[in-house]
Amino acid sequence: MFSSSTVTTLLRQCTISWSNTIVPVRSKNYLNRPRLRNPVWFVKKTRTLHNEQFTADNTAFLNEVKRETILAASQRSQTTLLKLAHGEQNGHLVQWSPGLKRTGVIAKKIGQYPLWTKDGQKIRTTLLQIIDNEVVKYIPPEEYRPAQEPRQSRNWRKPYGCLLVGAEHGDPSLFTKEYAGLFQDSGVLPKKHLCRFIISPEAQLPTGTALTVSHFRVGDYVDVRGQTVDRGFQGVIKRHGFKGMPKSHGVTKTHRRPGNIGAGGNKARVWPGTRLPGHMGNRWRVLRGLRILRINPQYNVMWVMGSNIAGNTNGIVYIYDTILPLRQHGSKGGPAGPPPFPTALEPLPANSGDVWLEDLHDFRKLSITYSAGSE
């Protein structure tokens, strides 16, 4: 038989060895820190501006050349889309099937607006505008080697390629030579925003192809990724929603403090993941399964269900086909019919008017009618 002192010593050694091998973490299993700067492999976008001392006539001439160049680029993108529709590029188009991954689009969050169903229920929506999206480059699976490998393992049976998409025309004179060189071989004007989309090889698009709001349809479910508003250093009440200490009855200078944050004894430390004051916002967040309720082809605007999409007004967000199994195309709860694949080859005309979901009340139609015999 062991004595009481021997048992106590063994239990203490087991406790010490357990604490050295297993690190308990509260809530999340990682520390989510904001990214304050771009990775080192990103080229510098804007250059240092100097006073070129142009005259008024020279400035007007340069602005006219810029407008003509942007107009020619937009016409060229429409021509590329027509060639793709007629099969003059990429050969025969592949029909969509479950498991194929399409490209996403880059949009701008322009505000919020309420919509109503036919039975009077109010729905809060967010307006997202797809601004001058064009394909810049396609990288096949055998050549795509990202600077940082994703967390999930690479699928060698069905490898994915990478499609580089740019959005919003920019002034070429404001960009650096290295950044403008990314668009040299594509024939696309330098864009303000770039994004890489992981797609199936069957969904590749030629460079210069325009991506409009017709890439999605009313009733589709999408995932929207955005960067939250940067709030800076905040306390626990605003950052985590703590209640705070009582306002009176002996409380002094601790009204907005977090209180006790640790335990005593052998584990006298602060656990990683404890909710404390710190930097709030500037994190990437994804909302999944948001339904498209309304589309405006003239201005490339879509009304997406929900009012909590991350980002400031006029901030950039990325829109993808949803990955939720019960909301994808071809699933029981998803939209009927296949999506436009690889994109909408015949976009909706600009003068066709808005496209509404059937369950919504269209404000262009009358809601109350009176007959001649009614009192």
Side-chain angles (χ1 to χ4, degrees):
M1 297 295 293
F2 295 101
S3 61
S4 59
S5 60
T6 305
V7 172
T8 304
T9 304
L10 292 175
L11 290 176
R12 185 177 302 173
Q13 291 177 357
C14 292
T15 304
I16 294 175
S17 62
W18 175 84
S19 61
N20 292 333
T21 56
I22 300 177
V23 179
V25 178
R26 290 177 178 174
S27 65
K28 298 180 180 180
N29 58 353
Y30 64 93
L31 298 179
N32 186 7
R33 295 185 176 90
R35 192 178 69 176
L36 303 180
R37 58 186 63 86
N38 290 328
V40 294
W41 57 85
F42 276 26
V43 297
K44 187 178 179 181
K45 181 186 293 186
T46 57
R47 67 179 184 88
T48 303
L49 300 180
H50 302 281
N51 186 11
E52 305 292 347
Q53 297 181 356
F54 289 145
T55 62
D57 296 338
N58 291 338
T59 304
F61 174 74
L62 292 176
N63 292 334
E64 183 179 356
V65 171
K66 293 175 185 177
R67 287 193 297 268
E68 293 178 354
T69 306
I70 293 176
L71 181 61
S74 61
Q75 294 177 355
R76 185 169 56 251
S77 63
Q78 295 298 330
T79 305
T80 304
L81 197 60
L82 292 176
K83 291 181 179 180
L84 182 64
H86 292 85
E88 299 179 13
Q89 292 190 4
N90 282 6
H92 180 67
L93 294 178
V94 180
Q95 297 295 329
W96 179 85
S97 62
L100 294 180
K101 194 171 185 178
R102 300 191 307 160
T103 180
V105 295
I106 306 174
K108 180 182 290 186
K109 179 182 174 182
I110 59 176
Q112 298 181 9
Y113 195 80
L115 295 177
W116 282 266
T117 59
K118 293 182 179 180
D119 57 358
Q121 182 181 0
K122 182 180 178 181
I123 303 177
R124 300 181 66 177
T125 63
T126 303
L127 279 71
L128 304 177
Q129 184 180 18
I130 302 175
I131 43 173
D132 304 330
N133 277 222
E134 289 182 345
V135 177
V136 178
K137 186 180 180 182
Y138 171 70
I139 306 175
E142 56 272 10
E143 298 180 6
Y144 179 56
R145 292 294 180 267
Q148 286 184 343
E149 287 289 341
R151 293 183 180 178
Q152 63 271 18
S153 60
R154 184 183 293 270
N155 188 355
W156 295 104
R157 292 185 178 181
K158 293 183 179 180
Y160 289 131
C162 176
L163 195 70
L164 184 63
V165 178
E168 193 171 1
H169 294 302
D171 188 355
S173 62
L174 302 180
F175 299 127
T176 60
K177 184 178 180 180
E178 294 77 12
Y179 182 79
L182 300 176
F183 306 86
Q184 184 176 1
D185 298 334
S186 62
V188 179
L189 287 178
K191 302 285 187 177
K192 293 183 180 179
H193 311 286
L194 291 174
C195 183
R196 296 176 296 180
F197 294 99
I198 307 302
I199 64 171
S200 301
E202 295 83 359
Q204 61 174 298
L205 293 169
T207 58
T209 305
L211 300 175
T212 62
V213 73
S214 301
H215 186 73
F216 301 98
R217 299 178 306 177
V218 170
D220 291 353
Y221 293 90
V222 295
D223 297 341
V224 183
R225 179 174 182 261
Q227 195 172 23
T228 57
V229 180
D230 191 359
R231 303 291 184 182
F233 193 95
Q234 297 295 334
V236 292
I237 292 182
K238 184 172 183 179
R239 192 186 184 199
H240 301 292
F242 281 19
K243 182 180 178 180
M245 297 295 180
K247 306 301 180 183
S248 60
H249 296 282
V251 177
T252 304
K253 298 181 180 180
T254 57
H255 303 287
R256 299 179 65 89
R257 290 186 177 182
N260 184 26
I261 62 171
N266 191 27
K267 298 180 293 183
R269 64 188 183 88
V270 179
W271 285 15
T274 303
R275 293 181 294 178
L276 293 172
H279 194 110
M280 179 181 178
N282 196 25
R283 270 87 164 174
W284 288 97
R285 292 290 181 265
V286 182
L287 289 183
R288 305 195 185 278
L290 304 181
R291 198 176 190 186
I292 300 176
L293 304 178
R294 180 180 170 186
I295 282 178
N296 181 275
Q298 182 178 2
Y299 298 102
N300 283 329
V301 177
M302 63 171 63
W303 281 253
V304 179
M305 181 181 293
S307 60
N308 56 340
I309 295 178
N312 288 307
T313 304
N314 295 325
I316 296 298
V317 297
Y318 307 109
I319 308 176
Y320 317 82
D321 291 330
T322 184
I323 63 173
L324 298 181
L326 299 181
R327 293 293 183 266
Q328 291 180 345
H329 290 277
S331 62
K332 185 177 180 180
F341 190 83
T343 185
L345 303 180
E346 296 180 0
L348 297 172
N351 56 358
S352 61
D354 293 4
V355 182
W356 298 65
L357 193 67
E358 293 183 358
D359 299 337
L360 293 179
H361 169 63
D362 191 348
F363 293 99
R364 297 172 298 182
K365 301 179 181 179
L366 298 177
S367 58
I368 300 176
T369 57
Y370 298 94
S371 60
S374 60
E375 296 181 357

